[in-house]
Amino acid sequence: MKRQRSSHNATFITGLIITIILMAEMGTCLWGEILNEREMQDCKYVVVVSAATNSDAGWKQSVSILQEKYHANVVQWVKEPKECLGKLQDLFPDYVCFVATPTEAGRDFVTEIHQMMRELDEDPYTDAIWAILTGYNSDDARRIASHREALEAKRILTATVGAPMDGYETGKMYNELKSNELWEKRADGTIEKINCPTDITELIAEDMNTYQADVWITSGHATEKDWNPGYGYRCGRYLCDQGTLYGQDLKGEKHPINSSGPRVLLAIGNCLLGHISDENCIALAFMHSAGVYQLLGYTVTTWYGYGGWGVKDYFSELQAGRFTLAQANYVNNLALVYELEKSGGKERGLVYDRDVVVLYGDPAWAVKMTPRQLPWRQELTEKDGIYTFKIIGQEKGDWDNRPVIELLPHRIKNIDLLKGGSYHPVITDNFILVPVHKGLEPMKGNKGETLPIRGDYTIGDTIEIQFKADRI
């Protein structure tokens, strides 16, 4: 039987500890929020680990920590993770953490987990928030597993102009497309353009060591072994050696990275950075010496981009503060599968992206943007088995290029749509998806110039979905 998940109608109190106030009548499980032991007992967390890894004293400590921390069930496999499918179907967890050594956590492992986690029930969607806990060594995994404090994402260090600083209090943004360009956002909200050297290797290394950003977002060129932040110009690169991340500039000088974190890395614009090809790879170096506790990345060469860039959209763009990073990764994959189902499985780019983006770390660790007034608000109420979901415009604007998604506070069955069928909502046992994006393109003027389009929604515009369902 599947367990309950959290509502997103919550009050986020500034500080590192996030307090969630939930409607008592919902009786929810707290997806993505670490609060206290009693509340975490209401969530169903499963640790999946190979028998070989669980027999290693160092790696077993991480399993034990997670087991105690979340009152988790532990499921073992011998030859392949899919041996655990039947047990996972029986348990139907809210979170699944796959504890794996670098030898185990390769590309095929990630693909197999993606596919297995869509097979917990009959619908085509992933049924639990999951991640892979690993590290350069077992000490890294144990440190990440032990961490409890939630992280409010206030400061960003980004090496791509594709990740704006709008939702952050402060930040630095290096332009990967144009040399000599750095933008800095200060606490008063002002943004200054700063001239910088073409080779930004040393500057970024210094920022990694001293700027103490909560979120790093990268683009540029990368492989499993290196990262080059310059995409449109020649620049140094970042390499790894025995778990240590360091920058090497064009002069050959090395700039070691030693930063404690905790922070997250979204390598959404990089090829291969999320692929753990062996122990000496850059993803593990980010965890070992750069303070990264959650890392999102591609295990293949990037092409289509939906699976990576969309996570940023849900986490820090138009919906900033609505989802934790782990939730944003989860709902973005739901959106991808929805679009793929809509195309009859024929959209090649979506097929390419579906099983290749991975989140490393503890999936229940809460990393969240500071809430602010969003372009639209989402409301979910229930009375006598009648559920009403509303999307209400709070300003004039364009819909995001991703569908609106609400994670339900508990599992439901026997769903009967009563109102809002014209919006073609998808209602499953654990989420509502509304495809609001209309695919509008900017208009072209008589001289070929681009003209702004009118917004898809304005203040007070309301989409209402109503359905009847039974709790599971």
Side-chain angles (χ1 to χ4, degrees):
M1 188 67 69
K2 299 183 184 180
R3 295 294 301 274
Q4 301 168 346
R5 299 183 181 177
S6 66
S7 167
H8 297 293
N9 297 323
T11 299
F12 189 105
I13 300 176
T14 302
L16 292 177
I17 301 298
I18 304 173
T19 302
I20 303 296
I21 300 176
L22 297 165
M23 294 185 294
E25 67 271 19
M26 288 297 201
T28 63
C29 169
L30 306 174
W31 268 41
E33 308 297 341
I34 296 179
L35 297 178
N36 58 53
E37 292 299 319
R38 181 190 63 78
E39 289 163 324
M40 285 310 301
Q41 286 179 39
D42 294 333
C43 288
K44 204 170 206 179
Y45 191 111
V46 172
V47 180
V48 176
V49 62
S50 71
T53 299
N54 206 28
S55 66
D56 180 282
W59 287 92
K60 185 177 179 61
Q61 287 184 48
S62 294
V63 174
S64 300
I65 289 167
L66 293 173
Q67 189 175 19
E68 181 275 331
K69 184 177 176 182
Y70 299 118
H71 305 275
N73 288 285
V74 178
V75 180
Q76 287 191 164
W77 56 274
V78 177
K79 294 182 179 179
E80 58 180 0
K82 198 164 184 178
E83 296 167 18
C84 302
L85 177 58
K87 189 64 175 177
L88 289 173
Q89 288 173 329
D90 292 339
L91 292 170
F92 255 120
D94 300 314
Y95 304 92
V96 182
C97 184
F98 294 84
V99 177
T101 64
T103 304
E104 294 169 329
R107 180 186 296 126
D108 292 343
F109 186 79
V110 171
T111 299
E112 184 175 355
I113 293 172
H114 267 291
Q115 294 171 355
M116 179 175 68
M117 294 303 292
R118 291 197 300 272
E119 296 179 16
L120 301 194
D121 68 5
E122 66 284 355
D123 68 44
Y125 300 97
T126 301
D127 292 292
I129 294 177
W130 65 271
I132 298 172
L133 177 66
T134 189
Y136 175 72
N137 53 35
S138 60
D139 289 341
D140 290 340
R142 183 172 61 250
R143 168 175 46 82
I144 294 169
S146 300
H147 188 75
R148 291 175 178 269
E149 248 184 344
L151 177 64
E152 185 178 359
K154 295 183 177 182
R155 177 173 288 195
I156 184 174
L157 174 63
T158 172
T160 170
V161 290
M165 300 180 287
D166 297 355
Y168 297 87
E169 292 184 8
T170 57
K172 290 186 178 182
M173 179 175 67
Y174 291 89
N175 190 340
E176 83 275 32
L177 303 175
K178 185 178 178 182
S179 63
N180 313 115
E181 195 169 288
L182 162 66
W183 299 82
E184 183 170 4
K185 182 177 182 179
R186 298 188 173 87
D188 62 2
T190 59
I191 298 178
E192 180 184 0
K193 181 180 177 181
I194 302 170
N195 189 60
C196 65
T198 300
D199 189 351
I200 53 178
T201 310
E202 183 177 4
L203 283 180
I204 292 180
E206 182 180 346
D207 286 336
M208 286 181 167
N209 283 325
T210 63
Y211 191 60
Q212 295 302 310
D214 305 309
V215 176
W216 291 349
I217 300 181
T218 58
S219 186
H221 299 286
T223 70
E224 298 94 335
K225 304 293 185 179
D226 68 341
W227 166 51
N228 183 335
Y231 188 80
Y233 52 92
R234 190 165 177 260
C235 180
R237 58 181 181 156
Y238 289 81
L239 301 158
C240 52
D241 181 30
Q242 297 183 335
T244 298
L245 180 69
Y246 66 93
Q248 183 169 307
D249 60 32
L250 293 175
K251 297 177 181 178
E253 295 181 9
K254 294 184 178 181
H255 308 278
I257 308 302
N258 185 11
S259 186
S260 59
R263 61 179 51 89
V264 298
L265 168 63
L266 281 69
I268 52 179
N270 296 120
C271 299
L272 297 166
L273 197 150
H275 181 212
I276 297 178
S277 54
D278 54 40
E279 184 182 79
N280 188 37
C281 68
I282 198 165
L284 296 177
F286 271 106
M287 299 176 208
H288 184 71
S289 75
V292 171
Y293 281 51
Q294 280 184 350
L295 187 154
L296 182 90
Y298 274 90
T299 60
V300 295
T301 346
T302 59
W303 163 51
Y304 199 69
Y306 195 107
W309 290 100
V311 177
K312 173 185 65 70
D313 293 345
Y314 279 115
F315 175 67
S316 61
E317 303 291 313
L318 288 179
Q319 304 198 51
R322 181 166 282 142
F323 301 109
T324 68
L325 178 57
Q327 289 170 337
N329 179 49
Y330 174 73
V331 299
N332 186 62
N333 191 261
L334 297 180
L336 186 155
V337 172
Y338 163 76
E339 296 289 352
L340 186 58
E341 290 289 303
K342 188 173 68 174
S343 74
K346 297 178 181 179
E347 178 54 68
R348 191 163 62 96
L350 295 172
V351 174
Y352 184 87
D353 264 31
R354 182 183 56 193
D355 301 334
V356 296
V357 175
V358 61
L359 179 69
Y360 296 109
D362 174 2
W365 182 44
V367 181
K368 204 170 188 180
M369 299 288 294
T370 302
R372 59 184 179 185
Q373 177 167 307
L374 300 178
W376 68 86
R377 70 179 190 271
Q378 299 176 199
E379 296 179 356
L380 177 65
T381 58
E382 181 264 329
K383 184 177 181 181
D384 299 328
I386 304 296
Y387 295 76
T388 302
F389 176 56
K390 292 182 180 181
I391 305 167
I392 304 169
Q394 300 194 120
E395 61 185 52
K396 183 176 180 179
D398 304 324
W399 292 115
D400 200 348
N401 61 356
R402 297 293 191 276
V404 168
I405 296 178
E406 176 82 4
L407 296 177
L408 297 178
H410 47 253
R411 299 285 182 175
I412 59 174
K413 62 180 180 179
N414 302 326
I415 301 162
D416 181 17
L417 182 63
L418 304 176
K419 183 178 181 180
S422 61
Y423 298 109
H424 305 289
V426 175
I427 307 172
T428 73
D429 61 325
N430 68 325
F431 70 85
I432 306 169
L433 180 151
V434 184
V436 293
H437 179 54
K438 299 178 181 177
L440 294 179
E441 299 292 339
M443 296 169 57
K444 293 291 185 180
N446 293 332
K447 298 180 180 180
E449 73 276 21
T450 299
L451 303 176
I453 61 175
R454 292 172 52 191
D456 284 346
Y457 58 86
T458 190
I459 298 173
D461 281 357
T462 301
I463 292 174
E464 183 174 337
I465 311 294
Q466 194 172 80
F467 58 95
K468 184 177 181 180
D470 299 323
R471 291 193 186 195
I472 294 179

